[in-house]
Amino acid sequence: MTSLPQMQPGAKRLGLVIDLDTCVGCHACAVNCKEWNTEGHHAPLPDYDPHGADPDGVWFNRIHSYEAKGSGGCGKTVNFPRSCLHCENPLCVTVCPTGASYKRAEDGIVLVNTDICIGCKLCSWACPYGAREFDEHDGVMKKCTLCIDRIYNESLPEAEREPACVATCPSRARHFGDLADPESRVSKLVAERGGVDLMAELGYRPTNKYLPPRQTRIETRPVEMPASAPGGLGGALLALVDKVLSR
């Protein structure tokens, strides 16, 4: 089995902070992730049977939508992106019999060495977040890499050295940075908004954090119909439209 590295003092913990309040569920992050990481297949389409009745394939990032109870008893749609959380205590690494799954000491990113992966799927069974993907074509396990080939690519402008999912998010619901640095933008977001770990009770200590949806309240009041208006009902409706447009 594979051992976890001894994390050094001052080491980075790179990860994502995802704002569930502003995620609109557009799937742009999933599509751009697919395009960047697996363009060798049919990206950004599914890998297998992309135009058929049963498309399937490897997706490092998936988005689920739920209906939650909002304020005042009203329903609210919550879009929930899911990918590898790059845990501090990743059991997907420790169960790996070949060392293919490993955690980097310098930045905490969890990766898979596909050259020595035997596709036994033990890591997928150990991951409670469903973040491991088995590539039927290559016969190995794959997962989110935090776009390590982008974030350390010195040929890119510094502003573009971020994961593909972060770069493409139209609502800026995804944020990338060093969560070991309390002064980083992502750490401040977590502190200000009460960022939480997904299934913290399991003890995996995920690096990625979620910012919970904020309670919103929209004050409304009924629009009163004019008591009387020239022209009967039609005149009343025109008067109402005029009143609304002139606010």
Side-chain angles (χ1 to χ4, degrees):
M1 298 303 172
T2 307
S3 299
L4 294 175
Q6 184 68 38
M7 304 304 290
Q8 299 300 317
K12 295 180 178 180
R13 280 195 296 117
L14 298 181
L16 302 175
V17 172
I18 300 174
D19 192 344
L20 300 181
D21 194 51
T22 55
C23 175
V24 296
C26 67
H27 292 256
C29 55
V31 171
N32 202 32
C33 169
K34 182 69 172 170
E35 174 67 25
W36 181 263
N37 289 289
T38 58
E39 61 183 354
H41 292 295
H42 300 283
L45 299 174
D47 303 329
Y48 315 111
D49 196 20
H51 301 290
D54 191 24
D56 195 12
V58 174
W59 292 82
F60 295 165
N61 192 31
R62 299 175 184 266
I63 295 85
H64 307 276
S65 296
Y66 302 94
E67 288 297 319
K69 186 177 181 180
S71 58
C74 298
K76 180 176 182 178
T77 300
V78 177
N79 301 295
F80 190 86
R82 174 178 61 84
S83 62
C84 176
L85 303 176
H86 299 277
C87 303
E88 291 187 54
N89 184 30
L91 268 65
C92 61
V93 169
T94 56
V95 301
C96 181
T98 67
S101 290
Y102 65 100
K103 184 176 179 66
R104 288 163 50 105
E106 60 267 35
D107 52 23
I109 297 177
V110 177
L111 297 173
V112 177
N113 182 350
T114 55
D115 290 337
I116 57 175
C117 176
I118 59 175
C120 66
K121 301 184 182 179
L122 282 175
C123 58
S124 65
W125 298 339
C127 175
Y129 307 114
R132 295 288 179 131
E133 299 270 329
F134 183 69
D135 190 323
E136 297 282 353
H137 182 270
D138 295 337
V140 296
M141 301 303 297
K142 294 182 177 179
K143 59 177 292 297
C144 163
T145 66
L146 274 183
C147 290
I148 197 167
D149 53 339
R150 287 178 60 97
I151 62 178
Y152 288 112
N153 189 346
E154 295 184 357
S155 67
L156 290 176
E158 189 170 354
E160 296 181 17
R161 296 176 198 170
E162 59 184 2
C165 62
V166 176
T168 199
C169 180
S171 63
R172 305 307 296 171
R174 305 175 74 89
H175 308 271
F176 169 71
D178 182 7
L179 285 136
D181 179 6
E183 296 302 315
S184 69
R185 185 169 61 93
V186 286
S187 293
K188 290 180 179 179
L189 270 174
V190 171
E192 292 168 3
R193 291 279 307 281
V196 297
D197 290 348
L198 183 60
M199 295 192 286
E201 67 278 7
L202 298 180
Y204 284 61
R205 300 173 65 194
T207 296
N208 291 5
K209 310 296 180 188
Y210 288 92
L211 305 182
R214 288 172 283 200
Q215 291 294 324
T216 56
R217 189 175 185 84
I218 302 175
E219 298 292 342
T220 61
R221 58 185 178 83
V223 178
E224 298 179 0
M225 291 285 289
S228 61
L233 180 60
L237 289 174
L238 288 174
L240 177 59
V241 171
D242 181 69
K243 180 178 180 181
V244 171
L245 295 178
S246 58
R247 287 180 178 176

